[in-house]
Amino acid sequence: MNQPHWHPASWQERTTLQQPHYPSTQALEEVLSQLTTLPPLVTSWEVESLKQELAAASRGEAFLLQGGDCAENFGDCRSPVIVNKLKILLQMSLILIHGLEKRVVRVGRIAGQYAKPRSADSETIAGVTLPSYRGDLVNAPEFTPEARRVDPERLLTGYSRAAITLNHIRALSDCGFADLHHPEYWDLDFFHHSPQAEEYRQVVRDLSHSLRFLKQLGVGDAPDLSRVQFYTSHEGLHLHYEEALTRKTPNRSGYYNLSTHLPWIGFRTAELEGGHIEYFRGINNPIGIKVGPGVSPQWIEAVIDRLNPENEPGKLLFIHRFGADRIEQHLPHLLRTVKQAGKEILWICDPMHGNTVTTANGYKTRHFNHILQELEQAFEIHRSEGTILGGVHFELTGDDVSECIGGARGMSEVDLERAYETQVDPRLNYEQALEMALAIIRKQG
Ligand code: PEP
Ligand code: CO
């Protein structure tokens, strides 16, 4: 079917789910017109180079590690929080490089992961009803009328916090901090007490050995060993914000979303005729789409035609998130549908979002073992279907939080109270994330 002409605002002609209701359209318009004039946060060059990397991942030559908070918050725009997140992603990437013998493409859920879909527009506690918290880009989490007020000024704050975060990441990635010759710079304070410390150190020793070997061969000073490339991603949920950062660039044709390298469409907003798919079909970025139980082969084929009509490699990521108990039932059909249609898809497993449970005392949590089981099954199913699992997508943090159950330290339900900090979904803490990476390579390496 021929689609009508696309422009950055054409999504506004569609029904668009999960958008906040702004009390004043004029106040919103004023903020958006400011945002439109502010510089982009990333460049089309970076976006295109990520697309090349993702194409390599879809061929099995590289592996995507995507991870970060479920929801970033403005208060966490602080050096220790950003640095710790970078450290854990760098450490995990070292483990994966070593075990999978592939280069690893690092993409944070960072520098813009500020808008969240919610199951209801409002929340009622003790007879008081207020708008739901929709992420720091929209309102604040505390249950007060002032905090929950939907405030367009937050779009500008979100843009600034994303810019500050990205600036810090760029500075760190470009200097000695990211030097592969000194992975000890990435050790976190509590690392030395961690049950995984020795296994990780062995990985580092092996890699250092390989680096020395390269040096003897005369290629040890290759510049890409002293800096790392680090990309950003977030759910492209708040379409007024995404539209305001959608730009044309002088040397390329078409539009780019320059608020992030890799925006994705969430599971709840992946309606074929809805505003999100309409917006995403017009941008040149690589794009992710979350895929879960209930998607039909017709939807799959239509979505691919809409989002990647040229069948460009590295352009479209299917991030599947079925849950450990359902992946076996659903994933094979999905893989076969895409394979039979001859379409280029980069397959990513998100083992987090299909495995969320609520404890008796009301904590939203996930079990380490369920996460690992879904991942292991994903590798297995791709292998037996002859497709390639090109990467993983985690909710994690570089801090010592207690949000997911299990792992080597045996985090239990009662332990969750110690440091349960997430405002939305539970994240792997630093040790659990490291352990997850080691578990992946133990099975796949
Ligand atoms: C998320 O990634 O935080 C999220 C809401 O996931 P999904 O769209 O897969 O439910
Ligand atoms: Co989440």
Side-chain angles (χ1 to χ4, degrees), residues 70 109 116-117 235 264 266-267 290 321 350 353 395 425:
C70 179
R109 286 176 64 117
K116 296 307 299 175
E235 179 173 346
W264 78 82
F267 187 54
K290 294 286 198 94
R321 28 88 82 219
D350 164 359
H353 287 88
E395 287 185 341
D425 288 340

Side-chain angles (χ1 to χ4, degrees), residues 59-203:
R59 296 190 297 270
E61 296 159 15
F63 193 76
L64 171 69
L65 171 63
Q66 186 177 17
D69 296 313
C70 179
E72 287 183 276
N73 57 62
F74 293 168
D76 276 350
C77 183
R78 291 180 288 131
S79 178
V81 178
I82 298 166
V83 169
N84 282 0
K85 230 172 282 165
L86 224 54
K87 283 179 172 177
I88 183 61
L89 286 166
L90 286 167
Q91 289 193 322
M92 289 174 85
S93 69
L94 272 196
I95 296 170
L96 295 173
I97 290 168
H98 179 257
L100 303 178
E101 298 184 348
K102 288 178 185 176
R103 65 178 190 276
V104 168
V105 187
R106 305 169 190 91
V107 177
R109 286 176 64 117
I110 202 166
Q113 177 52 17
Y114 292 128
K116 296 307 299 175
R118 299 320 299 255
S119 46
D121 268 351
S122 61
E123 193 179 345
T124 302
I125 299 179
V128 180
T129 300
L130 294 173
S132 294
Y133 170 60
R134 291 189 167 275
D136 275 16
L137 199 59
V138 174
N139 54 6
E142 297 77 28
F143 194 73
T144 65
E146 179 46 33
R148 292 293 174 91
R149 190 170 63 86
V150 171
D151 177 2
E153 289 291 323
R154 286 182 160 267
L155 296 168
L156 287 167
T157 312
Y159 165 87
S160 307
R161 295 292 156 114
I164 294 165
T165 305
L166 197 51
N167 180 58
H168 201 40
I169 294 172
R170 288 192 197 284
L172 289 165
S173 316
D174 236 354
C175 71
F177 172 81
D179 192 336
L180 255 182
H181 299 94
H182 293 284
E184 70 277 9
Y185 297 166
W186 313 338
D187 289 357
L188 286 124
D189 292 343
F190 28 86
F191 170 71
H192 304 283
H193 308 289
S194 150
Q196 288 77 44
E198 190 40 45
E199 198 174 349
Y200 173 73
R201 280 201 196 95
Q202 188 56 47
V203 167

Side-chain angles (χ1 to χ4, degrees), residues 292-295 322 325-335 381:
V295 297
F322 291 109
D325 53 350
R326 290 197 274 184
I327 183 168
E328 200 172 350
Q329 182 194 343
H330 295 281
L331 183 59
H333 299 294
L334 174 58
L335 301 182
I381 295 169

Side-chain angles (χ1 to χ4, degrees), residues 30 46 62 87 120 126 169 184 190 205 222 246 249 264 279 283 292 316 326 354 376 396 411 443:
E30 278 170 21
E46 294 164 341
K87 283 179 172 177
I169 294 172
E184 70 277 9
F190 28 86
R205 277 195 291 272
T246 301
T249 61
W264 78 82
Y279 167 76
I283 55 173
L316 185 56
R326 290 197 274 184
E376 287 176 358
L396 54 78
M411 182 94 68
K443 295 273 179 181

Side-chain angles (χ1 to χ4, degrees), residues 38-71:
L38 289 165
L41 299 179
V42 303
T43 69
S44 61
W45 302 96
E46 294 164 341
V47 171
E48 287 297 333
S49 90
L50 173 60
K51 211 190 279 172
Q52 296 303 314
E53 294 280 39
L54 297 175
S58 68
R59 296 190 297 270
E61 296 159 15
F63 193 76
L64 171 69
L65 171 63
Q66 186 177 17
D69 296 313
C70 179

